[in-house]
Amino acid sequence: MMDQAESLRRLVSQKKGIKKSRVITISGGKGGIGKTCISVNLSLALKKLGYNVTIIDADLGFSNVEIELGVTSKYTLFDVLYNNKMITEVISEGPLGVKYISSGGDFTLIDEGVDLTLFLSNIKILDYYSDFIIIDTGAGLNKVVHQFLQAADEIVLIVTPEPTSIMDAYTLIKHSLVGEKKKINVLINKVKSFEEYRKIYKRFETVVNNYLGVSLNDLGYLEIDEKMTECIIEQTPIVIKYHNGKTAKQLIQIAAKLANQSPPEEPQGLWGIFTKLLKQR
Ligand SMILES: Nc1ncnc2c1ncn2[C@@H]1O[C@H](COP(=O)(O)OP(=O)(O)OP(=O)(O)O)[C@@H](O)[C@H]1O
Ligand SMILES: [Mg+2]
């Protein structure tokens, strides 16, 4: 494993900057709106479409991705920084071969004197392995969420019909994304019908356009599906357990829409994102 990783690392450094993954940060502000559920199922849907996908859990303290994906991990990205772990040692494998990594901490608080070059070359391996890297963030608008929103090229904002969710998503854009040239995709979750989704999306888009001058990209919607909670309890994601169901089909459609839309002109990859984050320390 070590030899393979070592040679891969050399290969990546030779081809400097060639292979960049598309990094997508999933956020939304409010808690319990489906960020983790969608990170996990969207990753699996992208994998089903033939892409290599890595999920990074950036929700510090609560490793919900592990629970919902049904994986466990011993190490985090912080072990790559501080404990000489290779990136290949901190990757766990989930269903369908989706890769999982726990982020482990606040990257703007890294001690001086740590070998960042080695860390960043490990990160480059992830870019090499992955077509998409999905970052699940926690609730609220804390520093880590803000960092990953600011650093990312592409964002998926989860909004539900609850007024508190709409308000939190608005505040999140206002606080972290105004004036940034980023693709902000909006996914309306937990709706009762197509009509409800259209109404909520239009209302949200109008307010964000008018008051913040930010444009949004409509990624679609997911209906309320009780099986979603059942799948979390059973630790088998819905796109696997009910792969022929309506929600799984909607998720595949959303994944296809995301994959088919043009990536940023100059994607920075995870390497670029961490380079940015580490500069802020
Ligand atoms: N479309 C849906 N239909 C029904 N239930 C859903 C749907 N999407 C998410 N849920 C449920 O909402 C709950 C919260 O989901 P999840 O943990 O993904 O939210 P979260 O935004 O990541 O929460 P947190 O802010 O705590 O990280 C779960 O019980 C999940 O089953
Ligand atoms: Mg979560």
Side-chain angles (χ1 to χ4, degrees):
M1 194 61 179
M2 192 72 181
D3 283 351
Q4 199 186 354
E6 194 55 49
S7 58
L8 187 58
R9 198 161 69 187
R10 232 169 280 140
L11 183 72
V12 176
S13 61
Q14 276 163 16
K15 291 186 171 182
K16 218 182 237 167
I18 291 180
K19 172 74 171 68
K20 301 259 173 62
S21 56
R22 280 176 65 183
V23 183
I24 298 175
T25 296
I26 313 268
S27 197
K30 190 172 156 53
I33 52 175
K35 297 179 293 294
T36 302
C37 215
I38 290 168
S39 299
V40 164
N41 283 292
L42 206 52
S43 299
L44 291 162
L46 284 164
K47 183 74 193 178
K48 280 190 165 192
L49 294 173
Y51 298 101
N52 286 326
V53 187
T54 302
I55 312 180
I56 298 182
D57 191 344
D59 186 353
L60 307 184
F62 304 100
S63 296
N64 288 343
V65 174
E66 288 191 19
I67 298 166
E68 296 190 22
L69 193 63
V71 294
T72 49
S73 67
K74 213 165 142 195
Y75 304 113
T76 72
L77 279 181
F78 262 46
D79 292 306
V80 178
L81 254 174
Y82 290 117
N83 300 320
N84 295 320
K85 292 287 169 209
M86 287 285 300
I87 195 78
T88 44
E89 294 173 273
V90 309
I91 297 175
S92 310
E93 189 145 324
L96 309 179
V98 160
K99 307 278 190 292
Y100 164 74
I101 295 177
S102 168
S103 95
D106 180 344
F107 285 88
T108 60
L109 295 178
I110 287 165
D111 300 345
E112 294 294 332
V114 183
D115 187 351
L116 295 181
T117 318
L118 184 63
F119 176 72
L120 287 170
S121 60
N122 269 289
I123 291 292
K124 231 184 238 173
I125 295 174
L126 270 186
D127 272 327
Y128 189 79
Y129 268 132
S130 326
D131 300 309
F132 285 93
I133 295 180
I134 306 291
I135 301 179
D136 178 31
T137 62
L141 199 46
N142 57 46
K143 194 167 152 228
V144 174
V145 174
H146 181 71
Q147 278 167 17
F148 277 106
L149 285 170
Q150 288 243 300
D153 284 328
E154 295 177 81
I155 286 153
V156 173
L157 265 193
I158 312 295
V159 179
T160 71
E162 289 170 279
T164 41
S165 161
I166 298 171
M167 195 59 221
D168 285 5
Y170 176 88
T171 308
L172 184 147
I173 295 178
K174 186 175 172 188
H175 184 254
S176 299
L177 298 169
V178 171
E180 302 277 330
K181 277 203 194 106
K182 290 179 201 300
K183 187 137 205 173
I184 307 175
N185 300 282
V186 174
L187 176 50
I188 312 286
N189 189 24
K190 302 196 192 186
V191 297
K192 292 193 204 77
S193 62
F194 175 80
E195 289 71 28
E196 185 181 33
Y197 142 67
R198 288 313 303 159
K199 199 177 83 190
I200 300 290
Y201 183 81
K202 273 284 143 214
R203 192 186 298 162
F204 185 62
E205 186 184 43
T206 307
V207 176
V208 170
N209 285 174
N210 293 350
Y211 292 96
L212 303 177
V214 170
S215 49
L216 303 172
N217 185 48
D218 184 357
L219 204 59
Y221 69 106
L222 285 174
E223 284 177 28
I224 297 174
D225 186 342
E226 292 126 39
K227 295 195 193 79
M228 205 72 116
T229 306
E230 174 197 318
C231 287
I232 293 180
I233 294 167
E234 291 184 18
Q235 294 185 268
T236 313
I238 200 161
V239 290
I240 293 180
K241 179 136 200 247
Y242 295 104
H243 54 94
N244 281 322
K246 192 172 181 182
T247 303
K249 285 182 180 155
Q250 283 177 323
L251 279 156
I252 300 271
Q253 249 179 33
I254 292 163
K257 197 165 177 181
L258 198 60
N260 292 334
Q261 75 190 18
S262 48
E265 267 173 37
E266 286 176 38
Q268 29 172 7
L270 195 67
W271 181 84
I273 287 178
F274 271 103
T275 305
K276 248 194 210 170
L277 283 181
L278 293 167
K279 267 192 201 143
Q280 292 171 16
R281 83 199 158 108

